[in-house]
Short mmCIF file of all heavy atoms in Angstrom, two decimals:
data_model
loop_
_atom_site.label_atom_id
_atom_site.label_comp_id
_atom_site.label_asym_id
_atom_site.label_seq_id
_atom_site.Cartn_x
_atom_site.Cartn_y
_atom_site.Cartn_z
N ASN F 18 -33.70 -27.93 34.83
CA ASN F 18 -34.47 -28.94 35.39
C ASN F 18 -35.61 -29.52 34.36
O ASN F 18 -36.84 -29.55 34.76
CB ASN F 18 -35.18 -28.53 36.78
CG ASN F 18 -34.27 -28.19 37.87
OD1 ASN F 18 -33.09 -28.84 37.72
ND2 ASN F 18 -34.82 -27.67 38.89
N GLY F 19 -35.08 -29.78 33.30
CA GLY F 19 -35.96 -30.32 32.35
C GLY F 19 -35.38 -31.68 31.66
O GLY F 19 -34.33 -32.05 32.04
N PRO F 20 -36.17 -32.21 30.74
CA PRO F 20 -35.70 -33.36 30.03
C PRO F 20 -34.27 -33.26 29.33
O PRO F 20 -33.45 -34.05 29.36
CB PRO F 20 -36.74 -33.64 28.88
CG PRO F 20 -37.91 -32.86 29.26
CD PRO F 20 -37.46 -31.79 30.22
N GLU F 21 -34.06 -32.02 28.86
CA GLU F 21 -32.68 -31.89 28.04
C GLU F 21 -31.64 -31.93 29.16
O GLU F 21 -30.59 -32.53 28.86
CB GLU F 21 -32.81 -30.58 27.39
CG GLU F 21 -31.57 -30.19 26.58
CD GLU F 21 -31.72 -28.87 25.86
OE1 GLU F 21 -32.87 -28.67 25.22
OE2 GLU F 21 -30.70 -28.15 25.67
N PHE F 22 -31.82 -31.12 30.25
CA PHE F 22 -30.79 -31.07 31.37
C PHE F 22 -30.53 -32.50 31.92
O PHE F 22 -29.50 -32.97 32.20
CB PHE F 22 -31.17 -30.15 32.37
CG PHE F 22 -30.10 -29.89 33.37
CD1 PHE F 22 -28.81 -29.52 32.97
CD2 PHE F 22 -30.43 -29.92 34.71
CE1 PHE F 22 -27.74 -29.19 34.03
CE2 PHE F 22 -29.44 -29.72 35.68
CZ PHE F 22 -28.13 -29.26 35.36
N ALA F 23 -31.74 -33.35 32.17
CA ALA F 23 -31.69 -34.63 32.58
C ALA F 23 -30.78 -35.52 31.72
O ALA F 23 -29.96 -36.39 32.12
CB ALA F 23 -33.04 -35.26 32.86
N THR F 24 -31.08 -35.45 30.44
CA THR F 24 -30.30 -36.18 29.47
C THR F 24 -28.79 -35.91 29.52
O THR F 24 -27.88 -36.78 29.55
CB THR F 24 -30.89 -36.00 28.05
OG1 THR F 24 -32.14 -36.42 28.00
CG2 THR F 24 -29.98 -36.82 27.07
N MET F 25 -28.55 -34.63 29.53
CA MET F 25 -27.08 -34.18 29.71
C MET F 25 -26.50 -34.74 31.03
O MET F 25 -25.33 -35.18 30.89
CB MET F 25 -27.03 -32.67 29.63
CG MET F 25 -27.22 -32.05 28.21
SD MET F 25 -26.86 -30.43 28.12
CE MET F 25 -27.80 -29.60 29.46
N LEU F 26 -27.25 -34.75 32.01
CA LEU F 26 -26.71 -35.34 33.29
C LEU F 26 -26.40 -36.72 33.18
O LEU F 26 -25.34 -37.24 33.64
CB LEU F 26 -27.56 -35.06 34.50
CG LEU F 26 -27.62 -33.58 35.01
CD1 LEU F 26 -28.59 -33.39 36.03
CD2 LEU F 26 -26.34 -33.10 35.50
N ASP F 27 -27.44 -37.57 32.70
CA ASP F 27 -27.27 -38.93 32.53
C ASP F 27 -25.91 -39.33 31.62
O ASP F 27 -25.23 -40.22 31.87
CB ASP F 27 -28.38 -39.64 31.83
CG ASP F 27 -29.64 -39.70 32.88
OD1 ASP F 27 -29.33 -39.56 34.06
OD2 ASP F 27 -30.72 -39.74 32.39
N GLU F 28 -25.83 -38.56 30.45
CA GLU F 28 -24.61 -38.70 29.62
C GLU F 28 -23.38 -38.51 30.37
O GLU F 28 -22.39 -39.10 30.24
CB GLU F 28 -24.81 -37.92 28.35
CG GLU F 28 -25.99 -38.42 27.45
CD GLU F 28 -26.29 -37.44 26.28
OE1 GLU F 28 -25.61 -36.49 26.18
OE2 GLU F 28 -27.24 -37.85 25.47
N ALA F 29 -23.38 -37.30 31.10
CA ALA F 29 -22.15 -36.95 31.88
C ALA F 29 -21.81 -37.88 32.82
O ALA F 29 -20.74 -38.32 33.03
CB ALA F 29 -22.38 -35.48 32.42
N ALA F 30 -22.77 -38.50 33.68
CA ALA F 30 -22.58 -39.44 34.73
C ALA F 30 -22.01 -40.76 34.00
O ALA F 30 -21.16 -41.42 34.58
CB ALA F 30 -24.00 -39.80 35.39
N ALA F 31 -22.50 -41.18 32.88
CA ALA F 31 -21.95 -42.33 32.18
C ALA F 31 -20.61 -42.14 31.88
O ALA F 31 -19.68 -42.97 31.91
CB ALA F 31 -22.70 -42.78 30.96
N ALA F 32 -20.31 -40.97 31.30
CA ALA F 32 -18.87 -40.69 30.93
C ALA F 32 -17.80 -40.68 32.07
O ALA F 32 -16.80 -41.17 32.06
CB ALA F 32 -18.82 -39.39 30.16
N VAL F 33 -18.43 -40.07 33.18
CA VAL F 33 -17.57 -39.96 34.38
C VAL F 33 -17.32 -41.30 34.92
O VAL F 33 -16.14 -41.68 35.34
CB VAL F 33 -18.18 -39.02 35.48
CG1 VAL F 33 -17.37 -39.08 36.73
CG2 VAL F 33 -18.09 -37.54 34.93
N LEU F 34 -18.44 -42.13 35.05
CA LEU F 34 -18.15 -43.50 35.51
C LEU F 34 -17.33 -44.28 34.60
O LEU F 34 -16.64 -45.28 35.18
CB LEU F 34 -19.57 -44.15 35.80
CG LEU F 34 -20.40 -43.52 36.84
CD1 LEU F 34 -21.85 -44.05 36.75
CD2 LEU F 34 -19.71 -43.83 38.28
N ALA F 35 -17.37 -44.13 33.42
CA ALA F 35 -16.36 -44.90 32.51
C ALA F 35 -15.00 -44.70 32.79
O ALA F 35 -14.27 -45.72 32.44
CB ALA F 35 -16.75 -44.47 31.06
N SER F 36 -14.74 -43.74 33.48
CA SER F 36 -13.25 -43.46 33.79
C SER F 36 -12.76 -44.51 34.88
O SER F 36 -11.51 -44.74 35.15
CB SER F 36 -12.93 -42.06 34.37
OG SER F 36 -13.56 -41.94 35.70
N GLU F 37 -13.71 -45.13 35.60
CA GLU F 37 -13.45 -46.23 36.67
C GLU F 37 -12.50 -45.66 37.89
O GLU F 37 -11.76 -46.36 38.43
CB GLU F 37 -12.82 -47.39 36.03
CG GLU F 37 -13.85 -48.13 35.14
CD GLU F 37 -13.28 -49.36 34.32
OE1 GLU F 37 -12.34 -49.91 34.81
OE2 GLU F 37 -14.05 -49.93 33.62
N LEU F 38 -12.57 -44.41 38.05
CA LEU F 38 -11.80 -43.82 39.04
C LEU F 38 -12.58 -44.09 40.44
O LEU F 38 -13.85 -44.15 40.35
CB LEU F 38 -11.61 -42.35 38.89
CG LEU F 38 -10.71 -41.89 37.73
CD1 LEU F 38 -10.90 -40.22 37.71
CD2 LEU F 38 -9.35 -42.27 38.26
N PRO F 39 -11.92 -44.16 41.61
CA PRO F 39 -12.64 -44.34 42.79
C PRO F 39 -13.49 -43.10 43.08
O PRO F 39 -13.11 -41.93 42.73
CB PRO F 39 -11.55 -44.35 43.85
CG PRO F 39 -10.26 -44.15 43.12
CD PRO F 39 -10.52 -44.16 41.76
N PRO F 40 -14.52 -43.23 43.88
CA PRO F 40 -15.44 -42.20 44.17
C PRO F 40 -14.84 -40.78 44.76
O PRO F 40 -15.16 -39.82 44.29
CB PRO F 40 -16.42 -42.62 45.17
CG PRO F 40 -16.34 -44.18 44.97
CD PRO F 40 -15.01 -44.50 44.49
N ASP F 41 -13.85 -41.05 45.67
CA ASP F 41 -13.10 -39.83 46.15
C ASP F 41 -12.50 -39.05 44.90
O ASP F 41 -12.58 -37.82 44.98
CB ASP F 41 -12.03 -40.23 47.13
CG ASP F 41 -12.56 -40.59 48.54
OD1 ASP F 41 -13.70 -40.15 48.86
OD2 ASP F 41 -11.82 -41.27 49.20
N GLU F 42 -11.85 -39.77 44.11
CA GLU F 42 -11.23 -39.02 42.84
C GLU F 42 -12.18 -38.46 41.87
O GLU F 42 -11.95 -37.39 41.49
CB GLU F 42 -10.20 -40.01 42.21
CG GLU F 42 -9.40 -39.30 41.23
CD GLU F 42 -8.36 -38.37 41.88
OE1 GLU F 42 -8.01 -38.42 42.91
OE2 GLU F 42 -8.02 -37.36 40.96
N LEU F 43 -13.19 -39.21 41.74
CA LEU F 43 -14.31 -38.68 40.90
C LEU F 43 -14.77 -37.26 41.46
O LEU F 43 -15.11 -36.29 40.66
CB LEU F 43 -15.50 -39.62 40.68
CG LEU F 43 -15.25 -40.89 39.99
CD1 LEU F 43 -16.38 -41.81 40.04
CD2 LEU F 43 -14.84 -40.52 38.42
N VAL F 44 -15.11 -37.31 42.73
CA VAL F 44 -15.63 -36.02 43.31
C VAL F 44 -14.58 -34.92 43.16
O VAL F 44 -14.89 -33.75 42.77
CB VAL F 44 -15.90 -36.26 44.89
CG1 VAL F 44 -16.24 -35.02 45.63
CG2 VAL F 44 -17.03 -37.28 44.92
N LYS F 45 -13.42 -35.17 43.51
CA LYS F 45 -12.26 -34.26 43.46
C LYS F 45 -12.07 -33.58 41.99
O LYS F 45 -12.10 -32.44 41.78
CB LYS F 45 -11.02 -34.81 43.86
CG LYS F 45 -9.80 -33.83 43.78
CD LYS F 45 -8.47 -34.52 44.36
CE LYS F 45 -7.29 -33.60 44.19
NZ LYS F 45 -6.09 -34.25 44.35
N GLN F 46 -12.14 -34.49 40.92
CA GLN F 46 -11.97 -34.21 39.54
C GLN F 46 -13.05 -33.31 39.08
O GLN F 46 -12.91 -32.47 38.36
CB GLN F 46 -11.76 -35.28 38.65
CG GLN F 46 -10.42 -36.02 39.07
CD GLN F 46 -9.23 -35.16 38.65
OE1 GLN F 46 -9.23 -34.39 37.72
NE2 GLN F 46 -8.17 -35.33 39.56
N THR F 47 -14.42 -33.69 39.57
CA THR F 47 -15.58 -32.96 39.20
C THR F 47 -15.39 -31.54 39.69
O THR F 47 -15.70 -30.56 39.03
CB THR F 47 -16.79 -33.76 39.71
OG1 THR F 47 -16.85 -35.04 38.98
CG2 THR F 47 -18.08 -32.93 39.26
N TYR F 48 -15.23 -31.45 40.89
CA TYR F 48 -15.11 -30.06 41.62
C TYR F 48 -13.98 -29.25 40.98
O TYR F 48 -14.26 -28.07 40.60
CB TYR F 48 -14.76 -30.20 43.01
CG TYR F 48 -16.05 -30.14 43.88
CD1 TYR F 48 -16.86 -31.27 44.09
CD2 TYR F 48 -16.41 -28.98 44.57
CE1 TYR F 48 -17.91 -31.23 44.89
CE2 TYR F 48 -17.57 -28.99 45.32
CZ TYR F 48 -18.38 -30.02 45.50
OH TYR F 48 -19.44 -30.00 46.32
N LEU F 49 -12.85 -29.83 40.65
CA LEU F 49 -11.71 -29.03 40.09
C LEU F 49 -12.27 -28.58 38.59
O LEU F 49 -12.04 -27.49 38.17
CB LEU F 49 -10.45 -29.88 39.88
CG LEU F 49 -9.73 -30.06 41.19
CD1 LEU F 49 -8.57 -31.12 41.14
CD2 LEU F 49 -9.29 -28.81 41.77
N ALA F 50 -12.98 -29.51 37.83
CA ALA F 50 -13.25 -29.13 36.48
C ALA F 50 -14.56 -28.10 36.46
O ALA F 50 -14.43 -27.18 35.57
CB ALA F 50 -13.68 -30.47 35.72
N ALA F 51 -15.34 -28.40 37.38
CA ALA F 51 -16.65 -27.43 37.39
C ALA F 51 -16.42 -26.18 38.04
O ALA F 51 -16.99 -25.09 37.82
CB ALA F 51 -17.82 -28.12 37.88
N LEU F 52 -15.66 -26.21 39.19
CA LEU F 52 -15.72 -25.08 40.04
C LEU F 52 -14.25 -24.48 40.35
O LEU F 52 -14.08 -23.58 41.06
CB LEU F 52 -16.31 -25.45 41.43
CG LEU F 52 -17.67 -26.00 41.43
CD1 LEU F 52 -18.09 -26.47 42.95
CD2 LEU F 52 -18.58 -25.07 41.03
N SER F 53 -13.32 -25.17 39.69
CA SER F 53 -11.87 -24.78 39.96
C SER F 53 -11.21 -24.70 41.25
O SER F 53 -10.56 -23.82 41.59
CB SER F 53 -11.64 -23.48 39.20
OG SER F 53 -12.04 -23.33 37.82
N ARG F 54 -11.81 -25.65 42.00
CA ARG F 54 -11.40 -25.88 43.38
C ARG F 54 -11.67 -27.20 43.82
O ARG F 54 -12.51 -27.88 43.27
CB ARG F 54 -12.05 -24.84 44.25
CG ARG F 54 -13.55 -24.90 44.42
CD ARG F 54 -14.10 -24.05 45.63
NE ARG F 54 -15.48 -24.31 45.75
CZ ARG F 54 -16.11 -25.25 46.36
NH1 ARG F 54 -15.33 -26.14 47.13
NH2 ARG F 54 -17.42 -25.36 46.62
N PRO F 55 -10.90 -27.70 44.79
CA PRO F 55 -11.28 -29.03 45.37
C PRO F 55 -12.51 -28.90 46.18
O PRO F 55 -12.68 -27.78 46.81
CB PRO F 55 -9.92 -29.36 46.11
CG PRO F 55 -9.26 -28.12 46.52
CD PRO F 55 -9.65 -27.15 45.44
N PRO F 56 -13.07 -30.07 46.52
CA PRO F 56 -14.21 -30.02 47.51
C PRO F 56 -13.69 -29.84 48.97
O PRO F 56 -12.61 -30.38 49.27
CB PRO F 56 -14.87 -31.32 47.29
CG PRO F 56 -13.77 -32.27 46.79
CD PRO F 56 -12.95 -31.41 46.05
N ASN F 57 -14.48 -29.21 49.81
CA ASN F 57 -14.08 -29.17 51.12
C ASN F 57 -14.30 -30.51 51.79
O ASN F 57 -15.16 -31.31 51.10
CB ASN F 57 -14.58 -27.98 51.93
CG ASN F 57 -16.10 -28.05 52.02
OD1 ASN F 57 -16.72 -28.99 52.32
ND2 ASN F 57 -16.74 -26.93 51.87
N PRO F 58 -14.00 -30.87 53.01
CA PRO F 58 -14.23 -32.17 53.63
C PRO F 58 -15.81 -32.50 53.70
O PRO F 58 -16.05 -33.57 53.39
CB PRO F 58 -13.62 -32.08 54.98
CG PRO F 58 -12.45 -31.20 54.85
CD PRO F 58 -12.97 -30.11 53.95
N GLN F 59 -16.64 -31.48 54.02
CA GLN F 59 -18.05 -31.69 54.08
C GLN F 59 -18.56 -32.07 52.78
O GLN F 59 -19.38 -32.91 52.65
CB GLN F 59 -18.80 -30.57 54.81
CG GLN F 59 -20.20 -30.83 54.93
CD GLN F 59 -20.86 -29.54 55.53
OE1 GLN F 59 -20.30 -28.45 55.60
NE2 GLN F 59 -22.12 -29.82 55.93
N GLU F 60 -18.23 -31.20 51.79
CA GLU F 60 -18.66 -31.59 50.40
C GLU F 60 -18.18 -32.94 49.82
O GLU F 60 -18.97 -33.59 49.30
CB GLU F 60 -18.06 -30.57 49.43
CG GLU F 60 -18.74 -29.13 49.57
CD GLU F 60 -18.02 -28.04 48.86
OE1 GLU F 60 -16.81 -28.14 48.64
OE2 GLU F 60 -18.56 -26.96 48.58
N GLN F 61 -17.10 -33.26 50.19
CA GLN F 61 -16.51 -34.66 49.74
C GLN F 61 -17.31 -35.77 50.50
O GLN F 61 -17.75 -36.72 49.66
CB GLN F 61 -15.03 -34.75 50.30
CG GLN F 61 -14.32 -36.03 49.80
CD GLN F 61 -13.93 -36.01 48.33
OE1 GLN F 61 -13.63 -34.89 47.82
NE2 GLN F 61 -13.88 -37.19 47.78
N SER F 62 -17.65 -35.55 51.73
CA SER F 62 -18.40 -36.59 52.38
C SER F 62 -19.79 -36.72 51.82
O SER F 62 -20.37 -37.76 51.55
CB SER F 62 -18.44 -36.22 53.94
OG SER F 62 -19.24 -37.30 54.63
N LEU F 63 -20.40 -35.56 51.66
CA LEU F 63 -21.96 -35.47 51.25
C LEU F 63 -21.84 -36.14 49.75
O LEU F 63 -22.91 -36.80 49.39
CB LEU F 63 -22.42 -34.15 51.28
CG LEU F 63 -22.80 -33.64 52.57
CD1 LEU F 63 -23.09 -32.22 52.62
CD2 LEU F 63 -23.78 -34.35 53.24
N ALA F 64 -20.98 -35.77 48.92
CA ALA F 64 -20.91 -36.32 47.50
C ALA F 64 -20.83 -37.74 47.53
O ALA F 64 -21.47 -38.44 46.86
CB ALA F 64 -19.79 -35.61 46.87
N LYS F 65 -19.93 -38.34 48.31
CA LYS F 65 -19.71 -39.75 48.44
C LYS F 65 -21.11 -40.42 48.89
O LYS F 65 -21.43 -41.55 48.21
CB LYS F 65 -18.61 -40.25 49.24
CG LYS F 65 -17.20 -39.91 48.71
CD LYS F 65 -16.11 -40.28 49.64
CE LYS F 65 -16.37 -41.58 50.30
NZ LYS F 65 -15.31 -41.90 51.31
N GLU F 66 -21.71 -39.91 49.78
CA GLU F 66 -23.12 -40.41 50.20
C GLU F 66 -23.95 -40.44 49.00
O GLU F 66 -24.84 -41.28 48.89
CB GLU F 66 -23.56 -39.71 51.45
CG GLU F 66 -22.91 -39.93 52.79
CD GLU F 66 -23.30 -39.13 53.87
OE1 GLU F 66 -24.49 -38.71 53.73
OE2 GLU F 66 -22.62 -38.85 54.73
N LEU F 67 -24.13 -39.26 48.35
CA LEU F 67 -25.09 -39.03 47.16
C LEU F 67 -24.77 -40.17 46.05
O LEU F 67 -25.64 -40.66 45.56
CB LEU F 67 -25.02 -37.58 46.73
CG LEU F 67 -26.00 -37.25 45.70
CD1 LEU F 67 -27.38 -37.41 46.26
CD2 LEU F 67 -25.86 -35.80 45.33
N ILE F 68 -23.56 -40.16 45.76
CA ILE F 68 -23.15 -41.22 44.70
C ILE F 68 -23.46 -42.59 44.94
O ILE F 68 -23.92 -43.33 44.20
CB ILE F 68 -21.60 -41.03 44.37
CG1 ILE F 68 -21.28 -39.69 43.74
CG2 ILE F 68 -21.16 -42.04 43.46
CD1 ILE F 68 -19.85 -39.29 43.68
N ALA F 69 -23.48 -42.99 46.29
CA ALA F 69 -23.65 -44.36 46.76
C ALA F 69 -25.19 -44.66 46.74
O ALA F 69 -25.62 -45.79 46.82
CB ALA F 69 -23.15 -44.45 48.13
N GLN F 70 -26.09 -43.64 46.63
CA GLN F 70 -27.55 -43.94 46.56
C GLN F 70 -27.97 -44.28 45.26
O GLN F 70 -27.51 -43.81 44.27
CB GLN F 70 -28.26 -42.70 47.13
CG GLN F 70 -27.98 -42.18 48.46
CD GLN F 70 -28.73 -40.94 48.74
OE1 GLN F 70 -29.42 -40.42 48.07
NE2 GLN F 70 -28.42 -40.41 50.09
N GLY F 71 -28.75 -45.31 45.19
CA GLY F 71 -29.44 -45.80 43.99
C GLY F 71 -28.29 -46.44 43.17
O GLY F 71 -27.38 -46.92 43.62
N SER F 72 -28.61 -46.49 41.89
CA SER F 72 -27.63 -47.13 40.93
C SER F 72 -26.52 -46.21 40.78
O SER F 72 -26.53 -44.97 41.02
CB SER F 72 -28.24 -47.37 39.54
OG SER F 72 -28.49 -46.09 38.85
N PRO F 73 -25.32 -46.70 40.34
CA PRO F 73 -24.19 -45.86 40.32
C PRO F 73 -24.43 -44.65 39.31
O PRO F 73 -24.07 -43.49 39.61
CB PRO F 73 -22.98 -46.71 39.74
CG PRO F 73 -23.37 -48.06 40.19
CD PRO F 73 -24.96 -48.01 40.24
N GLN F 74 -25.09 -44.85 38.19
CA GLN F 74 -25.39 -43.74 37.31
C GLN F 74 -26.25 -42.76 37.76
O GLN F 74 -26.12 -41.49 37.63
CB GLN F 74 -25.92 -44.29 35.84
CG GLN F 74 -25.97 -43.17 34.89
CD GLN F 74 -25.94 -43.74 33.41
OE1 GLN F 74 -25.44 -44.72 33.17
NE2 GLN F 74 -26.44 -42.82 32.59
N GLU F 75 -27.25 -43.23 38.51
CA GLU F 75 -28.28 -42.24 39.21
C GLU F 75 -27.60 -41.51 40.25
O GLU F 75 -27.85 -40.22 40.24
CB GLU F 75 -29.36 -43.06 39.71
CG GLU F 75 -30.39 -43.68 38.76
CD GLU F 75 -31.41 -44.41 39.44
OE1 GLU F 75 -31.29 -44.94 40.64
OE2 GLU F 75 -32.52 -44.84 38.72
N GLY F 76 -26.70 -42.12 41.00
CA GLY F 76 -26.09 -41.45 42.13
C GLY F 76 -25.10 -40.31 41.50
O GLY F 76 -25.08 -39.23 41.97
N MET F 77 -24.43 -40.66 40.48
CA MET F 77 -23.47 -39.74 39.85
C MET F 77 -24.26 -38.64 39.15
O MET F 77 -23.80 -37.45 39.26
CB MET F 77 -22.55 -40.50 38.83
CG MET F 77 -21.59 -39.58 38.18
SD MET F 77 -20.55 -38.64 39.39
CE MET F 77 -19.54 -40.07 39.95
N ALA F 78 -25.40 -38.99 38.57
CA ALA F 78 -26.17 -37.85 37.87
C ALA F 78 -26.61 -36.89 39.00
O ALA F 78 -26.60 -35.73 38.86
CB ALA F 78 -27.26 -38.46 37.17
N ASP F 79 -27.09 -37.32 40.17
CA ASP F 79 -27.62 -36.61 41.14
C ASP F 79 -26.45 -35.76 41.79
O ASP F 79 -26.67 -34.51 42.05
CB ASP F 79 -28.21 -37.39 42.38
CG ASP F 79 -29.48 -37.95 42.03
OD1 ASP F 79 -30.08 -37.55 40.88
OD2 ASP F 79 -29.95 -38.95 42.67
N PHE F 80 -25.30 -36.30 41.88
CA PHE F 80 -24.12 -35.52 42.37
C PHE F 80 -23.77 -34.32 41.37
O PHE F 80 -23.52 -33.30 41.78
CB PHE F 80 -22.97 -36.47 42.61
CG PHE F 80 -21.62 -35.67 42.67
CD1 PHE F 80 -21.38 -34.84 43.70
CD2 PHE F 80 -20.57 -35.91 41.68
CE1 PHE F 80 -20.18 -34.12 43.77
CE2 PHE F 80 -19.37 -35.21 41.82
CZ PHE F 80 -19.22 -34.28 42.81
N LEU F 81 -23.69 -34.76 40.16
CA LEU F 81 -23.33 -33.64 39.13
C LEU F 81 -24.49 -32.61 39.17
O LEU F 81 -24.08 -31.46 39.04
CB LEU F 81 -23.40 -34.27 37.72
CG LEU F 81 -22.20 -35.31 37.44
CD1 LEU F 81 -22.29 -35.97 36.16
CD2 LEU F 81 -20.88 -34.60 37.59
N TRP F 82 -25.70 -32.98 39.27
CA TRP F 82 -26.82 -31.94 39.43
C TRP F 82 -26.51 -31.00 40.45
O TRP F 82 -26.51 -29.75 40.49
CB TRP F 82 -28.19 -32.70 39.48
CG TRP F 82 -29.33 -31.64 39.67
CD1 TRP F 82 -29.99 -31.15 38.59
CD2 TRP F 82 -29.88 -31.18 40.85
NE1 TRP F 82 -31.00 -30.26 39.14
CE2 TRP F 82 -30.83 -30.20 40.41
CE3 TRP F 82 -29.60 -31.29 42.24
CZ2 TRP F 82 -31.70 -29.44 41.45
CZ3 TRP F 82 -30.41 -30.65 43.11
CH2 TRP F 82 -31.38 -29.70 42.70
N THR F 83 -26.14 -31.51 41.82
CA THR F 83 -25.86 -30.61 42.96
C THR F 83 -24.65 -29.87 42.71
O THR F 83 -24.76 -28.61 43.10
CB THR F 83 -25.48 -31.46 44.24
OG1 THR F 83 -24.45 -32.18 44.06
CG2 THR F 83 -26.64 -32.32 44.46
N VAL F 84 -23.70 -30.15 41.89
CA VAL F 84 -22.59 -29.28 41.50
C VAL F 84 -23.11 -28.12 40.54
O VAL F 84 -22.68 -26.98 40.86
CB VAL F 84 -21.43 -30.06 40.91
CG1 VAL F 84 -20.37 -29.02 40.36
CG2 VAL F 84 -20.84 -31.01 41.99
N PHE F 85 -23.73 -28.60 39.51
CA PHE F 85 -24.24 -27.56 38.47
C PHE F 85 -25.16 -26.67 38.82
O PHE F 85 -25.30 -25.63 38.14
CB PHE F 85 -24.63 -28.50 37.15
CG PHE F 85 -23.58 -29.24 36.53
CD1 PHE F 85 -23.91 -30.42 35.88
CD2 PHE F 85 -22.19 -29.00 36.77
CE1 PHE F 85 -23.00 -31.10 35.36
CE2 PHE F 85 -21.28 -29.78 36.15
CZ PHE F 85 -21.61 -30.81 35.53
N VAL F 86 -25.86 -26.81 40.00
CA VAL F 86 -26.88 -25.81 40.37
C VAL F 86 -26.32 -24.93 41.51
O VAL F 86 -27.07 -24.11 41.94
CB VAL F 86 -28.27 -26.36 40.93
CG1 VAL F 86 -28.90 -27.30 39.68
CG2 VAL F 86 -28.04 -27.37 42.06
N GLN F 87 -24.97 -25.14 41.82
CA GLN F 87 -24.42 -24.28 42.87
C GLN F 87 -24.33 -22.89 42.20
O GLN F 87 -23.97 -22.62 41.01
CB GLN F 87 -23.24 -24.81 43.24
CG GLN F 87 -23.39 -26.06 44.14
CD GLN F 87 -21.97 -26.38 44.70
OE1 GLN F 87 -21.21 -25.63 45.10
NE2 GLN F 87 -21.84 -27.79 44.79
N PRO F 88 -24.33 -21.85 42.89
CA PRO F 88 -24.17 -20.49 42.42
C PRO F 88 -22.61 -20.35 41.90
O PRO F 88 -22.53 -19.46 40.98
CB PRO F 88 -24.32 -19.62 43.72
CG PRO F 88 -25.04 -20.43 44.64
CD PRO F 88 -24.75 -21.83 44.41
N GLU F 89 -21.83 -21.12 42.24
CA GLU F 89 -20.37 -21.01 41.66
C GLU F 89 -20.36 -21.53 40.17
O GLU F 89 -19.45 -21.31 39.53
CB GLU F 89 -19.44 -21.93 42.54
CG GLU F 89 -19.16 -21.34 43.89
CD GLU F 89 -18.26 -22.41 44.58
OE1 GLU F 89 -17.10 -22.38 44.22
OE2 GLU F 89 -18.72 -23.14 45.36
N PHE F 90 -21.35 -22.14 39.89
CA PHE F 90 -21.31 -22.89 38.41
C PHE F 90 -22.57 -22.29 37.64
O PHE F 90 -23.75 -22.42 38.15
CB PHE F 90 -21.32 -24.23 38.46
CG PHE F 90 -21.40 -24.97 37.18
CD1 PHE F 90 -20.15 -25.11 36.54
CD2 PHE F 90 -22.56 -25.17 36.50
CE1 PHE F 90 -20.20 -25.72 35.19
CE2 PHE F 90 -22.68 -25.82 35.22
CZ PHE F 90 -21.26 -26.06 34.55
N PHE F 91 -22.44 -21.73 36.62
CA PHE F 91 -23.55 -21.34 35.78
C PHE F 91 -23.55 -22.01 34.35
O PHE F 91 -22.42 -21.89 33.76
CB PHE F 91 -23.61 -19.88 35.50
CG PHE F 91 -23.95 -19.12 36.76
CD1 PHE F 91 -22.86 -18.64 37.63
CD2 PHE F 91 -25.19 -18.83 37.33
CE1 PHE F 91 -23.07 -17.98 38.74
CE2 PHE F 91 -25.46 -18.20 38.41
CZ PHE F 91 -24.40 -17.71 39.17
N TYR F 92 -24.49 -22.65 33.88
CA TYR F 92 -24.63 -23.19 32.74
C TYR F 92 -25.33 -22.18 31.83
O TYR F 92 -26.45 -21.77 32.04
CB TYR F 92 -25.56 -24.34 32.73
CG TYR F 92 -25.77 -25.05 31.37
CD1 TYR F 92 -24.76 -25.77 30.66
CD2 TYR F 92 -27.00 -24.88 30.65
CE1 TYR F 92 -25.02 -26.31 29.40
CE2 TYR F 92 -27.29 -25.43 29.51
CZ TYR F 92 -26.18 -26.08 28.78
OH TYR F 92 -26.46 -26.56 27.47
N ILE F 93 -24.72 -21.74 30.71
CA ILE F 93 -25.20 -20.73 29.81
C ILE F 93 -25.46 -21.27 28.47
O ILE F 93 -24.54 -21.89 27.84
CB ILE F 93 -24.30 -19.54 29.70
CG1 ILE F 93 -24.06 -18.85 31.05
CG2 ILE F 93 -24.87 -18.47 28.68
CD1 ILE F 93 -23.00 -17.81 30.94
N ARG F 94 -26.66 -21.44 27.96
CA ARG F 94 -26.97 -22.10 26.86
C ARG F 94 -26.71 -21.01 25.60
O ARG F 94 -27.00 -20.04 25.54
CB ARG F 94 -28.56 -22.48 26.85
CG ARG F 94 -28.86 -23.30 25.62
CD ARG F 94 -30.25 -23.63 25.98
NE ARG F 94 -30.56 -24.55 24.74
CZ ARG F 94 -31.75 -24.89 24.43
NH1 ARG F 94 -32.82 -24.46 25.18
NH2 ARG F 94 -32.10 -25.70 23.42
#
C-alpha cells in the first residue's frame, strides 16, 4: 500500500486493458493467473462492478488490488 505498489498496479492495469478482452474474460484470466482458480459467481459480479467504477484504468487497478491482497495471493519482494 505505497507508491511503489500503486505504480505496479497502474502498469498492470494498463497492460491488462491493452488486451481488449471483455470484462468477464479479464476477471477470469486474472483469477486464473493470480490464484490458479476461476472466480466464483459472487467474485465475478463484484469484480465487474469494481472495474466499471471510475476510469477503466482506475477500476482495473482497484480490482487487481483486491486480488493481490487476498490471503490466497502473496507478493514477496
